[in-house]
């Protein structure tokens, strides 16, 4: 089944481009470390997911690009075409001359309704090119106006137009110090609206990715492209083909459906977090050796200590003892309760990896059987030059909350009651997570 990616706003379009580049680089690399047949099967499964083939023989991304300013889309189309490895479709983008001014209401209440027909026509055409549509993957920021406001509006339109298709929203949580003065409002409004339309929200935090660039990738002067490439690598480690069943002989044909089935056991819990290991500069890989027991030990501790990277993990955090009260106030400090986890292993000897430590009942909320809450996907095909790599997509979260700039929103049709409704909706979500 194929995934249609919808890139929204400057951030969404720049990350989307890096995702397709990472996927294409992985597929065409000579570093698969597996048999020729395995590599061909992996290649075919990836192409079906992310690209369609046109007469030019250059793979065309299954994507729709949307922004209210032309500059980023123009650059994105041009850079992709120049790569010679892949490109965007000639009529797969929509842009205007005027942006959303970092105002959520402008994107949601003005640009959205005004341009709904044109944008959804592009989406419909892209969906019709798929032999079998697996769902939609939207990429957007929560800080600005187009990605967040228009992104929330487009997600609702996708749900209305494709009621039975899966929708996974990838959202970028803004820097804590603030890129945009109204980013807290934009984030609250975006999350509360996405929660009504989306099947799951996969969240990346800019502060965390910035730390990975500094501490793991050894980048001295970090650019947005550096940040976006780390995000793209992590997304690729989840969405590239894997075997979803023990001893499976066919790559998963329904990646979004399999992901939802594995990780969304309850509609109240839609937030997904992603951890990936190892991550390092490409020129370090040749001198690095990793053992599966070491990688799995670190990945598990990252999960339970709520660490987003292997540097600086708190090894003092332990799961609660069996038989102890599951009440939140009795939990070990900083322990991260899981609702569901999916571990994805790629590369050499994945079939022999022991994942018993992830089946420990103390990691999970008491109302789910650990056998149902944990799944593992594997492939012997290495990813992006890493001989061995692992990712865990987990369902657990702890974040949020902030009348100063409300007047900026009311002039575009968002009233104070809308804020209150959004806060109330998120309070319910936060409450659900806090009692895990």
């Amino acid at each position: 089944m194929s995934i249609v990616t919808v890139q929204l706003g400057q951030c969404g379009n720049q990350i989307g481009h890096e995702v397709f580049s990472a996927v294409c680089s992985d597929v065409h690399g000579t570093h698969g470390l597996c048999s020729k047949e395995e590599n061909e099967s992996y290649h075919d499964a990836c192409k079906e997911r992310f690209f369609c083939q046109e007469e030019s023989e250059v793979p065309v991304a299954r994507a729709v690009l949307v922004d209210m300013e032309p500059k980023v889309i123009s650059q994105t189309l041009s850079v992709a075409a120049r790569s010679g490895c892949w490109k965007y479709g000639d009529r797969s983008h929509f842009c205007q001359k005027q942006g959303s001014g970092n105002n959520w209401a402008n994107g949601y209440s003005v640009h959205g309704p005004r341009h709904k027909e044109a944008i959804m026509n592009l989406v419909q055409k892209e969906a019709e090119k798929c032999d079998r549509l697996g769902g939609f993957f939207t990429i957007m920021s929560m800080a600005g106006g187009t990605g967040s406001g228009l992104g929330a509006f487009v997600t609702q339109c996708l749900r209305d137009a494709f009621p039975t298709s899966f929708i996974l929203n990838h959202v970028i949580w803004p820097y804590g110090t603030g890129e945009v003065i109204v980013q807290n409002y934009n984030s609250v409004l975006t999350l509360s609206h996405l929660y009504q339309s989306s099947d799951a929200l996969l969240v990346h935090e800019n502060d965390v990715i910035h730390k990975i660039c500094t501490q793991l990738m050894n980048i001295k002067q970090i650019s947005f492209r550096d940040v976006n490439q780390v995000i793209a690598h992590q997304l690729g480690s989840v969405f590239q083909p894997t075997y979803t069943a023990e001893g499976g002989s066919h790559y998963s044909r329904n990646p979004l459906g399999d992901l939802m089935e594995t990780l969304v056991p309850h509609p109240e819990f839609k937030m997904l977090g992603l951890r990936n290991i190892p991550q390092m500069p490409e020129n370090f890989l040749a001198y690095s050796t990793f053992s599966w027991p070491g990688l799995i030990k670190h990945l598990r501790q990252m999960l339970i200590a709520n660490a987003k990277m292997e540097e600086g993990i708190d090894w003092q955090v332990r799961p609660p003892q069996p038989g102890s009260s599951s009440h939140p106030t009795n939990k070990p400090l900083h322990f991260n309760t899981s609702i569901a986890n999916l571990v994805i292993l790629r590369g050499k000897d994945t079939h022999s990896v022991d994942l018993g430590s992830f089946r420990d009942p103390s990691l999970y909320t008491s109302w789910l059987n650990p056998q149902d809450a944990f799944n593992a996907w594997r492939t012997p095909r290495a990813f992006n030059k890493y001989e061995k790599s692992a990712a865990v997509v987990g369902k657990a979260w702890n974040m949020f909350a902030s009348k100063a700039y409300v007047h900026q929103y009311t002039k575009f049709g968002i009233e104070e009651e809308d804020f209150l409704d959004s806060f109330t909706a998120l309070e319910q979500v936060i409450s659900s997570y806090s009692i895990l």
Side-chain angles (χ1 to χ4, degrees):
M1 285 187 168
S2 303
I3 300 170
V4 172
T5 300
V6 184
Q7 305 175 186
L8 294 145
Q10 176 178 335
C11 175
N13 279 293
Q14 290 174 336
I15 291 175
H17 171 263
E18 296 297 345
V19 170
F20 284 110
S21 294
V23 164
C24 213
S25 168
D26 175 50
V27 166
H28 292 298
T30 56
H31 48 266
L33 304 176
C34 60
S35 68
K36 185 181 178 186
E37 293 79 9
E38 183 74 52
N39 207 43
E40 287 175 355
S41 176
Y42 181 91
H43 187 279
D44 291 345
C46 173
K47 289 281 279 290
E48 181 192 24
R49 279 178 194 196
F50 295 109
F51 299 97
C52 54
Q53 203 81 32
E54 291 190 349
E55 292 162 16
S56 64
E57 292 300 308
V58 178
V60 179
R62 298 185 189 276
V64 173
L65 296 75
V66 180
D67 201 359
M68 291 299 108
E69 297 173 279
K71 183 180 175 184
V72 171
I73 284 187
S74 176
Q75 289 173 342
T76 303
L77 295 172
S78 172
V79 173
R82 285 203 309 270
S83 74
C85 297
W86 67 280
K87 65 177 184 177
Y88 287 106
D90 296 334
R91 296 180 183 83
S92 63
H93 62 278
F94 176 86
C95 58
Q96 292 291 289
K97 294 287 188 283
Q98 180 185 9
S100 300
N102 292 324
N103 191 303
W104 189 92
N106 201 359
Y108 184 85
S109 301
V110 179
H111 291 315
R114 183 181 293 163
H115 305 301
K116 173 183 176 180
E117 186 177 351
I119 294 170
M120 292 309 293
N121 279 342
L122 290 177
V123 172
Q124 184 69 44
K125 286 174 184 171
E126 204 58 51
E128 287 170 358
K129 292 179 192 173
C130 304
D131 290 337
R132 295 187 305 159
L133 176 64
F136 297 93
F137 180 50
T138 73
I139 308 176
M140 55 200 276
S141 162
M142 293 205 296
T146 300
S148 62
L150 185 63
F153 182 86
V154 169
T155 303
Q156 287 180 340
C157 293
L158 289 173
R159 175 53 69 224
D160 293 341
F162 301 91
T164 59
S165 293
F166 292 109
I167 301 174
L168 173 62
N169 290 88
H170 177 246
V171 293
I172 304 298
W173 197 276
Y175 285 102
T177 49
E179 305 156 70
V180 177
I181 199 165
V182 291
Q183 67 181 32
N184 289 355
Y185 292 116
N186 292 347
S187 299
V188 166
L189 289 163
T190 304
L191 275 180
S192 64
H193 282 75
L194 291 182
Y195 235 79
Q196 298 168 34
S197 311
S198 179
D199 290 298
L201 285 75
L202 179 58
V203 183
H204 268 111
E205 299 164 67
N206 268 339
D207 287 316
V208 170
I209 304 302
H210 201 93
K211 270 190 191 173
I212 289 173
C213 288
T214 306
Q215 297 178 24
L216 300 184
M217 308 303 285
N218 290 336
I219 300 169
K220 299 290 181 269
Q221 292 182 301
I222 298 168
S223 66
F224 278 122
R225 189 170 184 220
D226 295 323
V227 170
N228 294 342
Q229 285 179 335
V230 169
I231 292 171
H233 175 85
Q234 293 200 354
L235 291 174
S237 73
V238 172
F239 288 109
Q240 283 291 66
T242 53
Y243 298 113
T244 56
E246 289 288 339
S249 57
H250 297 286
Y251 279 114
S252 163
R253 301 298 298 273
N254 185 12
L256 286 184
D258 290 337
L259 197 69
M260 302 304 172
E261 183 183 351
T262 302
L263 288 171
V264 189
H266 190 291
E268 188 66 37
F269 302 101
K270 297 185 178 186
M271 307 282 268
L272 304 180
L274 169 57
R275 293 164 175 83
N276 186 274
I277 187 171
Q279 288 187 114
M280 61 179 58
E282 192 176 310
N283 55 339
F284 283 26
L285 287 173
Y287 309 101
S288 305
T289 54
F290 299 99
S291 71
W292 279 120
L295 290 173
I296 296 307
K297 181 180 178 183
H298 277 74
L299 194 63
R300 180 180 186 268
Q301 192 63 23
M302 286 165 66
L303 178 72
I304 66 175
N306 202 27
K308 301 300 194 308
M309 59 182 186
E310 62 263 41
E311 190 87 7
I313 301 173
D314 185 350
W315 290 92
Q316 302 301 312
V317 179
R318 292 279 183 270
Q321 293 299 310
S324 64
S325 168
S326 61
H327 192 274
T329 56
N330 295 328
K331 280 185 193 157
L333 195 61
H334 306 309
F335 174 70
N336 188 36
T337 304
S338 294
I339 303 165
N341 288 314
L342 166 65
V343 170
I344 302 168
L345 307 177
R346 300 178 182 274
K348 193 175 175 185
D349 302 327
T350 53
H351 61 280
S352 62
V353 180
D354 179 7
L355 293 171
S357 61
F358 278 92
R359 293 187 171 89
D360 180 352
S362 64
L363 300 186
Y364 299 94
T365 183
S366 57
W367 49 264
L368 266 180
N369 183 335
Q371 299 305 315
D372 300 325
F374 175 74
N375 282 273
W377 297 353
R378 309 170 194 241
T379 174
R381 210 283 191 174
F383 174 66
N384 258 349
K385 304 181 183 166
Y386 286 81
E387 181 187 61
K388 301 183 181 97
S389 63
V392 59
V393 189
K395 213 171 176 54
W397 211 252
N398 37 9
M399 274 175 114
F400 298 101
S402 182
K403 190 164 167 186
Y405 303 96
V406 173
H407 67 277
Q408 296 188 28
Y409 291 79
T410 56
K411 66 181 178 184
F412 290 111
I414 297 293
E415 300 299 332
E416 199 164 334
E417 288 75 19
D418 296 309
F419 277 106
L420 292 174
D421 288 345
S422 294
F423 278 117
T424 303
L426 286 190
E427 281 293 334
Q428 178 58 50
V429 173
I430 296 164
S431 172
S432 297
Y433 277 99
S434 65
I435 61 174
L436 286 176

